[in-house]
């Protein structure tokens, strides 16, 4: 399977304060993240608000300058490319932004917004552009008439479909969906998730699907990476994740989701996991130390590296053995 995106210890730090009153302390939003997205293997990136998901997504599509580490698109190291040099690669990585109203220029109709993307990256005749825009709009289930509306004249669901149409009009290999369904009601959420799934099959798009909602992951992704305070603590297959998850943070995150299937609900070990309350990160050691029921002196001292628990399953925890006992495997 071809690797589309690979990060090696990707780190993004923001300096505190503004341009004129910069403090010397930098805030690390993403720390040492090494992830791989392979063709046809959509990856869900999950974690609670503020853990660095969007920052990672923006860094991967060239919208944030990486502070440390490397970014590879295919085989090419694109870490230090200028905006101009990055442009040809950008065509293959598009983004569906979190807030779909502000994602569009309010002065442009939907037609103009999609046309702008095509003009930026392809040299098409007017009639070819027109045909392409209409076809992509139809393919996301929207009536062509809506192409001549402004963003505020559309419903949230319609706008999100248009947002997706704009992201896929260039036939990108990867689409980064940043909370693509978070602002939609339940029925719309399901229809957009189905649309994303259909697009993946039809156009061969692979997703980096950023969300804080575990229940949406399984519709679109085959792999999941769990992020906590800027670090990835677990990577695993979505299939049977309830049974395979090992990291105490992943389990706690999963507990916060209502599981409708009583069989699955019964297979998750709930008794040993504590409540997630906010505590600051420790300076050294494991990023989850302060919130972990199982922490030891070693956890406070040494940051655990991601290590293989089984094929395709990586966990950053010193106490995997203990959790294996607690996990009820089939
Ligand atoms: N431009 C910026 N300057 C300084 N700090 C920033 C900037 N952008 C993000 N941050 C900080 O980086 C951290 C990670 O932000 P990010 O938006 O990536 O989180 P997130 O996981 O996407 O959260 P959410 O689920 O709420 O969207 C946050 O603490 C945020 O305040
Ligand atoms: Mg975000």
């Amino acid at each position: 399977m071809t690797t589309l995106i690979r990060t090696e210890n990707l780190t993004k730090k923001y300096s505190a304060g503004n341009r004129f009153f910069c403090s010397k302390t930098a805030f690390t939003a993403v720390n040492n993240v090494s992830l791989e997205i392979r063709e046809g293997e959509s990856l869900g990136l999950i974690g609670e608000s503020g853990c660095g998901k969007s920052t990672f997504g923006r860094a991967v599509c060239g919208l944030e300058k990486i502070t440390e580490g490397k970014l590879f698109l295919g085989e090419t190291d694109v870490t230090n490319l200028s905006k101009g040099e990055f442009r040809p690669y950008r065509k293959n990585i598009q983004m569906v932004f979190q807030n779909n109203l502000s994602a569009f220029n309010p002065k442009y109709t939907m037609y103009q917004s999609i046309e702008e993307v095509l003009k930026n990256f392809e040299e098409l005749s007017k009639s070819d552009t027109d045909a392409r825009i209409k076809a992509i709009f139809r393919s996301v289930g929207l009536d062509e008439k809506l192409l001549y509306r402004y963003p505020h004249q559309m419903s949230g669901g319609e706008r999100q479909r248009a947002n997706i149409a704009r992201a896929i009009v260039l036939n990108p290999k990867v689409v980064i969906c940043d909370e693509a369904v978070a602002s939609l009601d339940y029925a719309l959420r399901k229809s957009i998730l189905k649309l994303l799934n259909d697009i993946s099959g039809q156009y061969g798009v692979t997703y980096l699907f950023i969300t804080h909602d575990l229940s949406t992951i399984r519709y679109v992704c085959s792999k999941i990476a769990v992020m906590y305070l800027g670090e990835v603590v677990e990577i695993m297959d979505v299939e049977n994740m309830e049974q395979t998850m090992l990291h105490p943070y992943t389990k706690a995150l999963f507990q916060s989701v209502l599981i409708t299937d009583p069989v699955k609900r019964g297979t998750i070990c709930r008794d040993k996991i504590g409540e997630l309350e906010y505590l600051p990160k420790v300076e050294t050691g494991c990023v989850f130390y302060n919130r972990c029921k199982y922490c030891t002196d070693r956890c406070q001292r040494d940051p655990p590296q991601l290590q293989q628990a089984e094929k395709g399953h990586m966990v950053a925890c010193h106490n995997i053995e203990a959790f294996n006992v607690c996990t009820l495997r089939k």
Side-chain angles (χ1 to χ4, degrees):
M1 227 185 284
T2 322
T3 298
L4 300 173
I5 295 178
R6 185 162 62 85
T7 64
E8 247 178 48
N9 303 320
L10 189 148
T11 299
K12 173 68 193 176
K13 294 181 183 175
Y14 291 111
S15 57
N18 64 29
R19 200 148 60 92
F20 302 105
F21 301 101
C22 264
S23 122
K24 278 186 182 149
T25 52
F27 170 75
T28 306
V30 175
N31 195 19
N32 268 324
V33 171
S34 299
L35 280 177
E36 190 179 27
I37 300 175
R38 288 184 286 189
E39 197 167 5
E41 205 177 73
S42 292
L43 176 76
L45 182 60
I46 190 154
E48 61 202 273
S49 186
C51 72
K53 306 179 296 294
S54 297
T55 305
F56 179 78
R58 289 198 304 270
V60 160
C61 70
L63 298 175
E64 292 279 0
K65 192 148 178 47
I66 294 164
T67 316
E68 285 160 35
K70 287 192 164 158
L71 169 65
F72 294 86
L73 298 182
E75 296 293 312
T76 318
D77 182 352
V78 298
T79 318
N80 296 314
L81 296 190
S82 67
K83 272 207 169 136
E85 290 168 331
F86 195 85
R87 243 177 95 77
Y89 297 95
R90 187 73 174 78
K91 184 173 185 283
N92 266 324
I93 310 177
Q94 294 295 314
M95 194 149 179
V96 175
F97 289 97
Q98 194 159 359
N99 182 342
N100 66 35
L101 186 55
S102 64
F104 288 99
N105 184 335
K107 292 183 184 156
Y108 282 8
T109 61
M110 289 298 145
Y111 190 99
Q112 289 168 317
S113 285
I114 301 176
E115 187 183 30
E116 189 191 28
V117 176
L118 280 174
K119 273 187 187 159
N120 277 341
F121 289 98
E122 291 190 12
E123 287 171 18
L124 294 174
S125 68
K126 193 135 185 55
S127 61
D128 284 350
T129 304
D130 190 66
R132 201 75 171 261
I133 294 173
K134 287 178 175 161
I136 209 72
F137 226 55
R138 280 194 304 271
S139 78
V140 296
L142 288 174
D143 193 311
E144 280 177 32
K145 286 182 203 142
L146 296 180
L147 275 168
Y148 307 100
R149 290 208 190 158
Y150 290 91
H152 71 277
Q153 295 173 323
M154 297 175 81
S155 75
E158 288 164 348
R159 217 163 31 231
Q160 195 60 323
R161 282 176 185 264
N163 204 3
I164 292 166
R166 186 177 55 172
I168 59 169
V169 73
L170 294 168
N171 293 323
K173 288 188 173 153
V174 180
V175 173
I176 300 174
C177 296
D178 189 352
E179 305 285 5
V181 295
S183 60
L184 306 174
D185 68 39
Y186 182 74
L188 264 179
R189 195 177 284 203
K190 269 195 101 169
S191 79
I192 297 289
L193 289 169
K194 183 174 176 312
L195 174 66
L196 291 173
N197 216 351
D198 292 347
I199 287 169
S200 170
Q202 198 179 339
Y203 298 96
V205 170
T206 304
Y207 297 108
L208 170 60
F209 190 79
I210 296 171
T211 181
H212 58 262
D213 181 0
L214 249 171
S215 65
T216 56
I217 289 260
R218 67 179 71 252
Y219 285 91
V220 187
C221 306
S222 49
K223 293 268 280 192
I224 176 172
V226 182
M227 197 176 218
Y228 182 73
L229 291 183
E231 296 187 20
V232 169
V233 295
E234 187 157 19
I235 305 168
M236 63 194 155
D237 289 337
V238 167
E239 203 184 359
N240 292 328
M241 63 180 170
E242 297 90 342
Q243 285 78 39
T244 49
M245 61 176 73
L246 289 172
H247 199 282
Y249 176 64
T250 313
K251 290 183 177 185
L253 200 62
F254 205 87
Q255 277 188 15
S256 62
V257 179
L258 178 68
I259 303 158
T260 43
D261 182 342
V263 179
K264 284 182 181 159
R265 199 160 49 212
T267 58
I268 296 168
C269 178
R270 288 176 172 268
D271 56 341
K272 283 193 165 185
I273 303 153
E275 287 287 307
L276 280 182
E277 58 190 81
Y278 179 75
L279 285 166
K281 186 174 164 180
V282 285
E283 288 299 311
T284 55
C286 175
V287 72
F288 193 56
Y289 175 80
N290 268 337
R291 287 166 93 178
C292 185
K293 265 187 128 176
Y294 307 92
C295 59
T296 61
D297 290 348
R298 185 179 174 209
C299 304
Q300 189 177 20
R301 223 175 34 241
D302 309 328
Q305 304 300 313
L306 276 174
Q307 55 180 307
Q308 185 160 311
E310 53 199 321
K311 196 167 178 288
H313 185 185
M314 310 284 285
V315 193
C317 181
H318 291 310
N319 302 314
I320 293 177
E321 298 307 317
F323 304 131
N324 261 326
V325 177
C326 151
T327 308
L328 303 177
R329 292 178 189 283
K330 279 187 181 161

